[in-house]
Amino acid sequence: MDNCIFCKIVRGDIPAKIVYRDETVVAFHDISPAAPIHVLFIPVEHIVKLSELSIDHANLIGEIHVRIAKVAAELGLQDYRVVSNCGESVGQSVFHIHFHLLGGRKMGWPPG
Ligand code: 5GP
Ligand code: ZN
């Protein structure tokens, strides 16, 4: 997608602090971290949001979550939170599906 900021990061058109990448998944530090560790995991494929997934994406989403667990361990996190905001009213601001890995501080529940 030409105008998508995360597709631009995938292509290297705008810089990001890349933590991990392979042919299907890219992980990079959030530009405006909400926790001491805040890494975003995205598929290379432009998918708008969680509610647009189909069963064809099941392996991809599974792979992303296994990768999240590996990167969390590499970053020394034992406890962490994974979030995917689906839709503007719950906080989605970039419409290329992504999973936030948040850790390094105590967090309350439920979220506000
Ligand atoms: P959302 O609000 O859609 O759940 O999450 C989008 C996240 O992307 C936000 O936490 C925001 O700080 C991050 N973000 C937005 N633009 C950029 C960017 O250009 N680079 C990086 N690294 N993160 C970004
Ligand atoms: Zn995109």
Side-chain angles (χ1 to χ4, degrees), residues 94-111:
V94 178
F95 287 83
H96 178 136
I97 194 171
H98 50 281
F99 298 88
H100 299 255
L101 166 64
L102 297 152
R105 68 167 168 81
K106 211 165 163 47
M107 293 175 202
W109 190 263

Side-chain angles (χ1 to χ4, degrees), residues 46 65 77 79 104 111-112:
H46 180 88
H65 281 78
L77 292 176
D79 297 352

